[in-house]
């Protein structure tokens, strides 16, 4: 979907990004995984919207509503733990930049979302510090309390987006 010229003013409306962000927001709200007012929710929405947006580069047919089965499967694969999501996002953003028209408002919003996801750090549980897996020997007595670390927002948002896709 190309940005639309609204009332002859030359203002381009980033319809593709706004539609994608809306669908991601609805998926997270429907999944009821996080309160919509939280930064974690925003991280999940932005990570999912960015993934959905970059699945379709210029020339691709938009497939925003509703999410067909193959599209859901693709999103599950792209957002799965252990995938190289960050590398994929960077490569697709670079490719989108080469294909997009100068000043493309959709791409500008996608880049802004990526900057926020990468530069914003959120305090989260350190899953590596919880303890060894049941099949690994314990290193010693466990510490009391939860260990928390600062982590890039995308590292929290990506699993939320993945869960939301599984629940749709």
């Amino acid at each position: 979907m190309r940005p639309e010229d609204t009332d002859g003013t030359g203002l381009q409306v980033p319809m593709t990004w706004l539609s994608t962000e809306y669908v991601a927001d609805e998926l997270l709200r429907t999944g009821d995984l996080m309160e919509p007012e939280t930064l974690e929710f925003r991280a999940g929405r932005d990570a999912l919207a960015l993934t959905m947006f970059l699945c379709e580069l210029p020339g691709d047919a938009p497939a925003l509503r509703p999410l067909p089965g193959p599209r859901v499967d693709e999103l599950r694969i792209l957002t799965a733990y252990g995938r190289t999501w960050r590398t994929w996002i960077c490569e697709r953003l670079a490719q989108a930049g080469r294909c997009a028209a100068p000043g493309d408002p959709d791409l500008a919003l996608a880049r802004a979302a990526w900057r926020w996801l990468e530069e914003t750090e959120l305090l989260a549980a350190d899953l590596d510090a919880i303890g060894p897996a049941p099949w690994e020997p314990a290193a010693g007595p466990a510490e009391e309390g939860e260990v928390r670390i600062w982590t890039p927002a995308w590292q929290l948002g990506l699993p939320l987006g993945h869960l939301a896709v599984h629940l749709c």
Side-chain angles (χ1 to χ4, degrees), residues 18-77:
L18 293 175
S19 297
T20 304
E21 189 177 52
Y22 173 79
V23 171
D25 190 90
E26 286 300 308
L27 285 172
L28 283 167
R29 284 178 192 271
T30 302
D32 199 24
L33 299 170
M34 190 70 50
E35 291 296 319
E37 302 82 27
T38 64
L39 289 174
E40 290 84 356
F41 182 91
R42 178 181 175 188
R45 183 197 64 213
D46 285 2
L48 188 53
L50 195 56
T51 304
M52 293 167 64
F53 177 78
L54 292 174
C55 282
E56 302 166 2
L57 291 176
D60 293 346
L64 294 175
R65 283 183 236 126
L67 290 177
R71 179 127 168 106
V72 170
D73 292 341
E74 179 184 22
L75 290 173
R76 284 182 185 149
I77 291 167

Side-chain angles (χ1 to χ4, degrees), residues 8-158:
T9 63
L11 176 66
Q12 291 184 326
V13 180
M15 292 306 297
T16 302
W17 176 260
L18 293 175
S19 297
T20 304
E21 189 177 52
Y22 173 79
V23 171
D25 190 90
E26 286 300 308
L27 285 172
L28 283 167
R29 284 178 192 271
T30 302
D32 199 24
L33 299 170
M34 190 70 50
E35 291 296 319
E37 302 82 27
T38 64
L39 289 174
E40 290 84 356
F41 182 91
R42 178 181 175 188
R45 183 197 64 213
D46 285 2
L48 188 53
L50 195 56
T51 304
M52 293 167 64
F53 177 78
L54 292 174
C55 282
E56 302 166 2
L57 291 176
D60 293 346
L64 294 175
R65 283 183 236 126
L67 290 177
R71 179 127 168 106
V72 170
D73 292 341
E74 179 184 22
L75 290 173
R76 284 182 185 149
I77 291 167
L78 287 171
T79 59
Y81 181 78
R83 291 223 7 118
T84 55
W85 183 82
R86 184 186 179 284
T87 303
W88 182 84
I89 290 292
C90 292
E91 289 170 357
R92 295 294 281 195
L93 275 173
Q95 184 180 356
R98 289 188 298 271
C99 297
D104 182 300
D106 289 307
L107 185 56
L109 287 175
R111 285 180 173 152
W114 175 239
R115 266 191 313 280
W116 185 86
L117 285 167
E118 194 165 52
E119 294 173 2
T120 303
E121 291 189 339
L122 303 174
L123 195 57
D126 183 1
L127 298 179
D128 293 329
I130 289 176
W135 56 86
E136 295 176 0
E143 290 183 28
E144 285 295 316
E146 179 182 18
V147 177
R148 296 173 60 100
I149 59 169
W150 289 100
T151 186
W154 70 266
Q155 288 183 348
L156 290 177
L158 188 60

